[in-house]
Structure formats: structure tokens, C-alpha cells
Amino acid sequence: MAAVIVEDLSKSQEAAQNASSKDRKLVDLANDTTNIHRFDCERVPERVLYARGTGAFGNFQLLEGAEDVTYAGVLTDTSRNTPVFSRQTAIPRSGRMMQGFGANTFVPVNKEGKRHFVKFLWIPHLGVHSLVWDESLKLAGQDPDSHRKDLIEAIDNKAYPKWAFAIQVIPEEKQGHFVFAILVATKIWPEELVDVAIELHIANHTQSSTSSSLKLS
């Protein structure tokens, strides 16, 4: 199977090199789509996500439009209030203190038809805080659900957690200026190379949810 894949890729790459400039973009797009599909379908044990997680429902309130990047109403209409749901599977000090990263790279288009590559980020208003090793060992034995409980109890007490929603933007014409692959789903873009350019809105989470059997007494 691996030999077939290598042969197919070599043939498609050769076709791309021999294609006219008019057709080369289409061939490159087909190659990229095939490579991404194969990468996403790989099952590497150390990359398998831990299924248990906690989530929260909330509201997306746009504070500043991103018309230069997209014409989608959800990111340009400041009068719109959009329901959102976020899910967390890592282990921070609290679910309220966890930064979120979008796995995929998106390609929005603005009204002029210009494309950008975009990554989405969630930045907690309480800051990003984690546990040190000794704290993790202690809590794992006493209350392994402490970070989930903190999120749920804060919402129940109407101390709603908030996140700023931000984006990183790479113009299409600059996609080849970086040493890292900008389309790889398991990689983040270094902030020292790609600025967190626009903080778009506040997400106010008002209702908790969980995919585990967590019960609060």
C-alpha cells in the first residue's frame, strides 16, 4: 500500500511539474487535498484524543468585524448574537483557564475574492494556568474531576467564564514564506511568526455539559 501511495504521489508531482501554468494550480490543489486526506485518516496511537471531556454552551458576541478577511456574517455583523459550544479534553488548573486552538486551518474569502489562511484561538479572560507536577499527583488521587467541577460550579453560581476569540491570518500570497506546513491539523502556528491579529468577540458561557459520567454532589 505504501509503495502504491509513493508511486501515485510521484506521478502526480511529475504531472504538476509538466503542466502548463494555467493547469498547475488545479493539479497542486488536487495533490494538497489528497495529501491532507491521507494525513487526517492516519491512526497514530499517540495522537488519539482522550474521549472524556467537559463542555459549555454560551454566546458569541462580535465586538469587531473582520471584513478584510471574510464576508461571513458571523464574523462581520456586530449586532449578531450566536450560540456557541466549546469542549475541553486537556487538564488545566480549571476549565475556565484553558486556551483553545482550532485544529483546522480555514480559508475564508472577503468580498473582493481575496483568500487568507486562518487559525482560530480562544483566549481565557482569567489567563492560562496549569498545574505543577506535585499538584497534579495530589489532585489525581483526591479529585481527578476538580478542573471540571470548577467550570461547572462557576457557571452554576453565575460567575460565567469568558474567552476572547482571536484569529491568526496568513495572506494566500505568503503561504510559502514559512518553514512549517500551515495546513497540518496537529500543528499550531508560532505566535512569534504569525501574530494573533484580531480579537473578535467575547464568548460568555452560561450552561455546562459533559461527555462523561461526572456528577456533582
Side-chain angles (χ1 to χ4, degrees):
M1 180 64 180
V4 174
I5 292 176
V6 171
E7 182 180 359
D8 288 345
L9 287 176
S10 63
K11 287 182 178 179
S12 61
Q13 290 167 355
E14 181 181 355
Q17 293 173 356
N18 295 332
S20 65
S21 58
K22 180 179 179 181
D23 298 329
R24 188 170 292 122
K25 285 187 177 181
L26 293 177
V27 176
D28 288 342
L29 178 60
N31 290 342
D32 291 343
T33 303
T34 300
N35 292 338
I36 292 170
H37 174 73
R38 285 173 177 154
F39 178 85
D40 289 344
C41 290
E42 288 179 350
R43 183 173 177 82
V44 181
E46 57 268 24
R47 283 215 316 260
V48 176
L49 293 177
Y50 187 46
R52 187 178 188 182
T54 301
F57 295 92
N59 299 302
F60 177 108
Q61 181 60 58
L62 188 68
L63 300 181
E64 179 184 350
E67 291 84 357
D68 57 330
V69 175
T70 180
Y71 62 86
V74 70
L75 295 179
T76 57
D77 183 1
T78 56
S79 66
R80 180 180 298 190
N81 192 298
T82 306
V84 294
F85 176 79
S86 65
R87 184 178 184 274
Q88 304 159 341
T89 56
I91 305 179
R93 179 172 293 276
S94 165
R96 299 180 293 153
M97 304 171 185
M98 181 178 180
Q99 186 169 356
F101 299 90
N104 297 309
T105 300
F106 296 89
V107 188
V109 180
N110 62 20
K111 286 186 176 181
E112 288 72 38
K114 186 175 181 180
R115 294 164 23 120
H116 297 78
F117 294 95
V118 171
K119 284 276 195 182
F120 297 146
L121 300 91
W122 296 86
I123 303 173
H125 273 214
L126 292 178
V128 179
H129 302 279
S130 300
L131 297 170
V132 297
W133 181 246
D134 290 341
E135 290 177 310
S136 299
L137 292 177
K138 183 177 180 180
L139 285 175
Q142 293 181 347
D143 188 0
D145 290 316
S146 61
H147 57 290
R148 298 184 181 92
K149 285 184 177 180
D150 179 82
L151 173 66
I152 295 172
E153 289 174 349
I155 293 174
D156 289 343
N157 292 326
K158 301 188 185 304
Y160 301 127
K162 294 182 179 181
W163 282 262
F165 183 71
I167 62 176
Q168 291 175 289
V169 180
I170 296 178
E172 185 178 26
E173 63 272 15
K174 294 185 178 180
Q175 60 178 303
H177 293 189
F178 301 92
V179 296
F180 56 89
I182 65 175
L183 296 179
V184 176
T186 57
K187 302 293 184 182
I188 62 173
W189 295 351
E191 293 184 16
E192 63 271 18
L193 299 179
V194 184
D195 292 337
V196 179
I198 306 172
E199 291 193 6
L200 295 174
H201 78 284
I202 302 301
N204 185 18
H205 288 71
T206 58
Q207 182 182 356
S208 62
S209 176
T210 179
S211 60
S212 69
S213 58
L214 174 63
K215 294 178 65 177
L216 299 180
S217 57

